[in-house]
Amino acid sequence: MPLLQHGLPLAPATLPAGIELRPQTIDDVTTLGSLYWDSYPKGVAAVDLEDAVEEMEGVFEGEYGTPLEPACLVAVDTASGELVGCIQTVTEAPWDGVPQGPFIIELFVHPDHRRRGLGICLLLSAAAACHEAGFEELALNALEETSAEAIHLYRRLGFVELALAD
């Protein structure tokens, strides 16, 4: 699982047509759980839909670090009103060996809405929010076995791999 980091600021985001971004709210938790479940191969991020909802509840409860609210965004399809993507960022990762500073704990897009620039838009928008909050770097992990496209995206945007500290 590569640990990747990038200095801030990054390039400005371009919002795909028919999409709007807004901060996630606790009222989104069940819908986010469903989106999370639908966005990953089964059994990778959660064992079932109930577990996926519990994972999202954990984000709001701070189980994975203190959410950096301006950098926790959902993408909404303006035609249907459905949530189609999400990025969740914490002020510091709760794991050892990770650099201090904001850390993206989740970035997921529904499979039907991929390849439209939505992941890039969410990432760049969260990075801008981190920079506006005074942070100079942003980090994330990616699962190599399930996220080859995501890792390629991060590297294309200039994220560099860091060695995990012992």
Side-chain angles (χ1 to χ4, degrees):
M1 174 176 351
L3 172 63
L4 303 166
Q5 189 173 43
H6 198 298
L8 298 176
L10 276 80
T14 302
L15 199 60
I19 298 293
E20 65 180 26
L21 299 185
R22 66 166 174 79
Q24 69 178 9
T25 70
I26 190 65
D27 293 336
D28 296 322
V29 74
T30 302
T31 305
L32 282 172
S34 182
L35 175 61
Y36 184 65
W37 176 246
D38 290 342
S39 296
Y40 283 101
K42 299 305 175 227
V44 169
V47 296
D48 57 22
L49 179 57
E50 181 180 341
D51 185 44
V53 171
E54 288 174 6
E55 289 283 328
M56 293 298 103
E57 289 171 341
V59 171
F60 284 94
E61 293 167 0
E63 287 182 27
Y64 309 103
T66 303
L68 184 59
E69 293 182 17
C72 292
L73 304 167
V74 293
V76 181
D77 181 306
T78 56
S80 68
E82 292 181 77
L83 299 187
V84 296
C86 179
I87 190 164
Q88 297 170 326
T89 310
V90 293
T91 57
E92 284 192 25
W95 307 286
D96 292 334
V98 177
Q100 290 187 337
F103 192 88
I104 296 171
I105 56 171
E106 288 296 343
L107 171 56
F108 50 96
V109 174
H110 191 281
D112 293 345
H113 293 270
R114 292 183 183 155
R115 301 196 177 283
R116 297 176 46 204
L118 191 48
I120 291 172
C121 179
L122 284 163
L123 180 63
L124 295 177
S125 296
C130 291
H131 185 13
E132 288 172 19
F135 294 102
E136 296 180 9
E137 294 185 306
L138 178 63
L140 56 88
N141 274 336
L143 298 173
E144 287 183 272
E145 55 277 356
T146 60
S147 301
E149 290 179 32
I151 292 169
H152 177 74
L153 164 74
Y154 303 142
R155 289 188 173 136
R156 190 171 44 124
L157 289 173
F159 278 79
V160 294
E161 193 166 338
L162 301 175
L164 288 172
D166 293 327

